[in-house]
Amino acid sequence: MAAVCSQQTQMPRVIEIYERWMAAYPTLADCAAAGRADVLRVWERAGYPRRAVYLHEAARRCVADHGGAL
């Protein structure tokens, strides 16, 4: 998640986003179970909201296709 965030984003901002995201979604299953609106709300003003959508979709696929393994 942090690697996705750190593209074109300064690290102090990435840390803030990472901490907020991990508090909301400590596991892939937690992220996968969330609704897209919730994921975007947690992402908030982090910029590049597609990143949140892609992370959410990746979590959903990991859970659906690989038993939650990454």
Side-chain angles (χ1 to χ4, degrees):
M1 187 275 166
V4 171
C5 265
S6 65
Q7 297 171 12
Q8 300 178 3
T9 304
Q10 295 177 345
M11 284 311 291
R13 185 77 176 122
V14 170
I15 293 168
E16 176 187 332
I17 299 162
Y18 177 81
E19 289 174 348
R20 185 171 62 231
W21 186 271
M22 293 308 296
Y25 311 118
T27 68
L28 286 172
D30 293 326
C31 183
R36 183 164 289 177
D38 292 325
V39 166
L40 290 169
R41 198 172 3 267
V42 170
W43 193 260
E44 267 188 331
R45 297 166 297 188
Y48 305 101
R50 285 187 199 157
R51 293 179 186 178
V53 171
Y54 295 151
L55 286 167
H56 183 232
E57 182 59 25
R60 287 174 23 95
R61 288 185 183 194
C62 286
V63 169
D65 300 341
H66 305 287
L70 181 62

